[in-house]
Amino acid sequence: MKDATGTDDSRTCSDPASAIQRELESFLSRRRASLSEIDGRCSDIADRLERFVLGGGKRMRPRFGVAAYCASAPSGDPTASADIDTAIKALAALELIQACALIHDDIIDASATRRGLPTVHVALSSEHSDAEWSGNSDSYGRSQAILLGDIALAWADEMLSEALLACPTMSIEFYRRAHSVWANMKTEVLGGQMLDVHAEATNASDLDTPTRVNRFKTAAYTIERPVHLGAVLAGAPPETIEALRTFGVSMGIAYQLVDDMLGVFGDPEVTGKPSGDDIREGKRTLLINYALNRASSADAAELTRALGAELDAEQLARSRDILTASGAVNHVHEEIERLTSEGLSALDHATLDPAGEETLRRLAGQAVDRAF
Amino acid sequence: MKDATGTDDSRTCSDPASAIQRELESFLSRRRASLSEIDGRCSDIADRLERFVLGGGKRMRPRFGVAAYCASAPSGDPTASADIDTAIKALAALELIQACALIHDDIIDASATRRGLPTVHVALSSEHSDAEWSGNSDSYGRSQAILLGDIALAWADEMLSEALLACPTMSIEFYRRAHSVWANMKTEVLGGQMLDVHAEATNASDLDTPTRVNRFKTAAYTIERPVHLGAVLAGAPPETIEALRTFGVSMGIAYQLVDDMLGVFGDPEVTGKPSGDDIREGKRTLLINYALNRASSADAAELTRALGAELDAEQLARSRDILTASGAVNHVHEEIERLTSEGLSALDHATLDPAGEETLRRLAGQAVDRAF
């Protein structure tokens, strides 16, 4: 295919995970060196970011992006397509956006656990209290975690730009096209998060709000924009980009709906988060809002009281029962199926490389096929 | 000069403040429109960022950058210099980096007031409690302020890139050169902030730590990198860039030392912040650390107890007396003078446009000549 560097392109297309990991390792190790020039104490703190990024996650966002790159028919215009190594490095930068989003989100949600480990702000707070430093440990953990999230966001941009600017076929016009996808994605994910926080505070119980949150907070930066960026880097024609984005929006919302189910019914062993967290945090998911709209008024009132409250196992079980009895669980299952089928059928009508398309379908399956 | 757009270039060079303001207004109004496409509730929240950015600040960072641009001798290479409108827009993006730094810093320092008004997180928290929304008002204010700071950081990059990519003489190599100054600056300011938070927690009382914090948290992104970026955009030769950076480092540290004096002795009417805040917050400034190292052991112990404590007017007056009696106030005054003279003399040996150099000297004077 369009690789002149001697990499086995077809292998990278079907399984880019190790190449993504290598790019992240190399970038973060160079950034650590610049921080240690400022002060060794900074690079020690940033080690936590490095461990967080390198130690976990399924690399879903870059993998969707690379699959879209591989699936996109090459445009034939060498000034409007990048080699696969550039694409992988540029798309790996999505993991740093993800790191910022998770670290800041865990502060916002006051989450103590992530991927089965203490969240970044909690780990930093423990470091403070273990060392018996001055001031409040929670404030310290939160402050450094805010800054670590900021640096992840700053480095995400740097990694993307570094990748694009090193590409021998890059032009200003091509750079502008790739960069605008990236910039829009950041506004969408942050806007979606703001809306989510606002909805929780205002007890927004309509069905439109969680759908918008899912569309922008999750779908945009999890699948839609990664496949969009991958397709732009491959120099795909507009109709291919359009099909891939439609696929990404539907699959991205479906992915979030699965997450919402896991947030109530998930097994902590599998999710790495306490079971029922979404109810305790008072999240306004489609699952919960559907139940509030459709349950009997007594059940709806009971569920409303449970949202944001400390719950014992029995109370949590009652909330789950209300979600099921109201039809919300069924509704969300049906929505996941509908969106999945809509997303996959967008691929049917696009002109795609068969192996790349196969990978997109496989990743889509993994995104929605998680046990709950 | 190098302006082909009909702008009165010499006027923009000597007083770019209104052009900077126009660029910020135009960029933020377009970004508000994209947020309102996500949801009107997001753009309402982002209005606070817009008011924060447009409503205050002396535009010191972009003004230093524009002055350096105007002072730099044009390289004569049209593929390695940008027109003044590009430079102004690119440098105005520094105000968005500044907005992120201030909004997140105010959360970190738990500051209630900025520019004589409630800080962003405090204003958002009041909005929550006034409307009697659900959950904790402080958490809500903090959460949205974290996200607003993130969006300011994301938009800063977007504004910079938008400016550079629209420049007709832009090449990939020229873009790379400008972008690397920008990227390094972000790592420096965030690394400096991490070190500052760490120093406060560990009661670092050495003199090297505050100097490093001043160098990276303040000097780099307040003067050094803005003049560096301005010079790169003008296509200045390496020796001019070197001289301007030396100027920027010295003047930037001097500026922070003035700020440290204001943080203890400043008039709230002038600073917009409560007097003595640095002592109440337990900041580890050069002023304070010098006193801890040089005061009598009884005075040093008393000052140590005051750091991070709630103080009444009499206790604050005692701390101020200790700072003066220890020689710290004198030492910091001498340092400000030494750095200012060092910074200005770096300009003596550079080949600069006289009017641009005059503006740089005037801005340098304003940076250190604030009453305390």
Side-chain angles (χ1 to χ4, degrees):
Chain A
M1 285 174 70
K2 29 186 158 18
D3 177 26
T5 63
T7 316
D8 178 349
D9 192 6
S10 65
R11 202 191 57 202
T12 324
C13 271
S14 65
D15 183 18
S18 56
I20 293 165
Q21 185 79 2
R22 272 198 309 278
E23 292 295 350
L24 288 166
E25 278 168 8
S26 149
F27 179 82
L28 288 170
S29 119
R30 277 177 290 126
R31 292 293 81 193
R32 181 176 1 105
S34 12
L35 269 186
S36 68
E37 278 171 34
I38 296 177
D39 198 283
R41 286 165 283 184
C42 300
S43 45
D44 286 351
I45 299 163
D47 276 350
R48 283 189 188 276
L49 174 64
E50 200 170 332
R51 287 200 297 273
F52 182 77
V53 172
L54 299 179
K58 300 180 289 292
R59 312 282 175 241
M60 194 172 58
R61 290 158 188 84
R63 282 164 67 206
F64 265 111
V66 174
Y69 172 90
C70 294
S72 295
S75 70
D77 175 0
T79 64
S81 69
D83 58 85
I84 189 163
D85 290 342
T86 298
I88 287 177
K89 181 170 178 185
L91 291 158
L94 290 163
E95 289 288 309
L96 293 172
I97 298 272
Q98 163 79 340
C100 168
L102 295 181
I103 292 171
H104 284 180
D105 231 25
D106 284 340
I107 301 174
I108 290 169
D109 293 341
S111 303
T113 330
R114 157 88 57 195
R115 298 172 183 164
L117 293 170
T119 48
V120 170
H121 68 281
V122 167
L124 284 157
S125 159
S126 302
E127 182 178 332
H128 183 280
S129 57
D130 291 350
E132 298 182 8
W133 286 341
S134 280
N136 181 286
S137 298
D138 289 343
S139 305
Y140 176 83
R142 190 164 56 222
S143 297
Q144 294 289 29
I146 290 174
L147 295 171
L148 272 185
D150 290 349
I151 219 162
L153 186 55
W155 287 356
D157 282 307
E158 195 175 345
M159 188 173 182
L160 175 89
S161 296
E162 208 177 88
L164 298 182
L165 295 172
C167 172
T169 55
M170 192 52 53
S171 66
I172 288 291
E173 180 45 38
F174 185 24
Y175 185 94
R176 193 204 321 268
R177 210 152 44 222
H179 197 266
S180 106
V181 179
W182 178 261
N184 286 333
M185 178 190 70
K186 286 189 293 177
T187 297
E188 286 161 355
V189 62
L190 290 165
Q193 281 185 291
M194 279 181 196
L195 182 58
D196 197 19
V197 171
H198 190 276
E200 210 172 299
T202 56
N203 295 328
S205 60
D206 63 310
L207 302 182
D208 176 55
T209 302
T211 303
R212 276 172 195 251
V213 170
N214 295 345
R215 168 79 182 78
F216 292 105
K217 182 180 169 179
T218 305
Y221 103 107
T222 303
I223 312 189
E224 182 201 358
R225 294 298 190 176
V227 297
H228 188 178
L229 184 56
V232 165
L233 291 175
E239 57 278 14
T240 305
I241 291 179
E242 201 47 44
L244 287 168
R245 289 184 66 182
T246 304
F247 161 80
V249 170
S250 295
M251 291 313 308
I253 298 178
Y255 170 80
Q256 181 58 52
L257 294 180
V258 172
D259 232 44
D260 293 347
M261 291 292 296
L262 291 169
V264 175
F265 297 96
D267 175 355
E269 290 285 318
V270 179
T271 63
K273 288 186 274 195
S275 184
D277 243 19
D278 278 7
I279 296 180
R280 285 199 195 85
E281 288 171 12
K283 288 230 165 284
R284 292 294 171 157
T285 64
L286 181 66
L287 177 70
I288 287 165
N289 281 8
Y290 189 94
L292 291 173
N293 281 279
R294 299 301 175 91
S296 70
S297 55
D299 277 0
E302 190 177 345
L303 183 58
T304 300
R305 280 192 302 276
L307 291 172
E310 271 312 313
L311 302 177
D312 61 26
E314 195 183 331
Q315 290 166 314
L316 181 59
R318 261 301 289 155
S319 295
R320 286 174 172 154
D321 288 346
I322 295 171
L323 292 171
T324 306
S326 68
V329 169
N330 261 344
H331 174 72
V332 170
H333 276 300
E334 282 164 16
E335 276 293 286
I336 294 169
E337 278 191 33
R338 184 183 66 76
L339 288 160
T340 304
S341 128
E342 201 173 275
L344 293 175
S345 80
L347 299 183
D348 295 341
H349 310 296
T351 311
L352 298 171
D353 168 85
E357 181 179 343
E358 184 50 40
T359 309
L360 282 172
R361 289 182 185 275
R362 182 165 47 78
L363 288 172
Q366 289 169 7
V368 292
D369 204 16
R370 296 171 292 161
F372 41 75
Chain B
M1 284 174 69
K2 30 189 154 17
D3 177 27
T5 62
T7 317
D8 178 350
D9 193 6
S10 64
R11 202 193 56 206
T12 324
C13 272
S14 65
D15 183 18
S18 56
I20 293 165
Q21 183 79 3
R22 273 198 309 278
E23 291 295 349
L24 287 166
E25 278 169 9
S26 151
F27 179 82
L28 288 170
S29 120
R30 277 177 287 126
R31 291 293 82 194
R32 182 180 355 109
S34 13
L35 268 186
S36 69
E37 278 170 35
I38 297 177
D39 197 283
R41 288 166 281 185
C42 300
S43 43
D44 286 351
I45 300 163
D47 275 351
R48 282 190 189 277
L49 175 64
E50 200 171 333
R51 286 201 297 273
F52 182 78
V53 172
L54 298 180
K58 299 178 291 291
R59 312 284 176 239
M60 193 172 58
R61 290 159 187 82
R63 282 164 68 206
F64 266 111
V66 174
Y69 172 91
C70 294
S72 295
S75 70
D77 175 0
T79 64
S81 69
D83 57 86
I84 190 162
D85 290 342
T86 298
I88 287 177
K89 181 171 178 185
L91 290 159
L94 290 164
E95 289 288 310
L96 293 171
I97 298 272
Q98 163 79 338
C100 168
L102 295 181
I103 292 170
H104 284 180
D105 230 26
D106 284 341
I107 302 173
I108 290 170
D109 293 342
S111 304
T113 330
R114 157 87 57 195
R115 298 171 182 167
L117 292 170
T119 49
V120 171
H121 68 281
V122 167
L124 285 157
S125 159
S126 302
E127 183 178 331
H128 183 281
S129 58
D130 290 350
E132 297 181 9
W133 286 341
S134 281
N136 181 288
S137 298
D138 288 343
S139 305
Y140 176 84
R142 192 164 53 222
S143 297
Q144 295 290 28
I146 290 174
L147 295 171
L148 272 186
D150 290 349
I151 219 162
L153 186 55
W155 287 355
D157 281 305
E158 194 174 348
M159 188 172 182
L160 175 89
S161 297
E162 208 176 89
L164 297 182
L165 295 172
C167 172
T169 55
M170 192 53 52
S171 66
I172 288 292
E173 180 44 38
F174 184 24
Y175 185 94
R176 194 205 321 268
R177 209 150 46 218
H179 197 267
S180 105
V181 178
W182 178 262
N184 286 332
M185 178 190 70
K186 286 190 292 177
T187 298
E188 286 161 353
V189 62
L190 290 164
Q193 280 186 292
M194 280 181 193
L195 182 59
D196 198 18
V197 171
H198 190 276
E200 210 170 299
T202 55
N203 295 328
S205 61
D206 63 309
L207 302 183
D208 177 56
T209 302
T211 303
R212 275 172 196 251
V213 170
N214 295 346
R215 167 77 180 79
F216 293 105
K217 181 180 170 180
T218 306
Y221 103 107
T222 303
I223 312 188
E224 182 200 359
R225 295 299 191 177
V227 296
H228 187 178
L229 183 57
V232 164
L233 292 174
E239 58 277 14
T240 305
I241 292 179
E242 201 48 43
L244 288 168
R245 289 184 65 184
T246 304
F247 161 80
V249 170
S250 295
M251 291 313 309
I253 298 178
Y255 170 80
Q256 181 58 53
L257 294 181
V258 172
D259 231 44
D260 294 347
M261 291 292 297
L262 290 169
V264 176
F265 297 96
D267 176 355
E269 290 286 319
V270 179
T271 63
K273 289 186 273 195
S275 184
D277 244 18
D278 278 7
I279 295 180
R280 284 199 195 84
E281 288 171 14
K283 288 231 165 282
R284 293 292 171 158
T285 63
L286 180 66
L287 177 69
I288 288 164
N289 281 7
Y290 190 93
L292 291 173
N293 280 277
R294 298 302 175 92
S296 70
S297 54
D299 277 1
E302 188 175 347
L303 183 58
T304 301
R305 279 193 302 276
L307 290 172
E310 274 310 316
L311 302 176
D312 60 26
E314 195 184 331
Q315 289 165 315
L316 181 59
R318 260 302 288 159
S319 294
R320 286 174 171 154
D321 288 346
I322 294 170
L323 291 171
T324 306
S326 68
V329 169
N330 260 344
H331 175 71
V332 170
H333 276 302
E334 282 165 16
E335 276 294 286
I336 293 170
E337 278 192 34
R338 185 184 65 78
L339 288 160
T340 303
S341 129
E342 201 173 274
L344 293 175
S345 79
L347 300 183
D348 295 340
H349 310 298
T351 312
L352 299 170
D353 170 85
E357 181 179 342
E358 184 51 41
T359 310
L360 283 173
R361 289 182 186 273
R362 182 166 47 79
L363 289 172
Q366 288 170 7
V368 292
D369 204 15
R370 296 172 290 162
F372 41 75

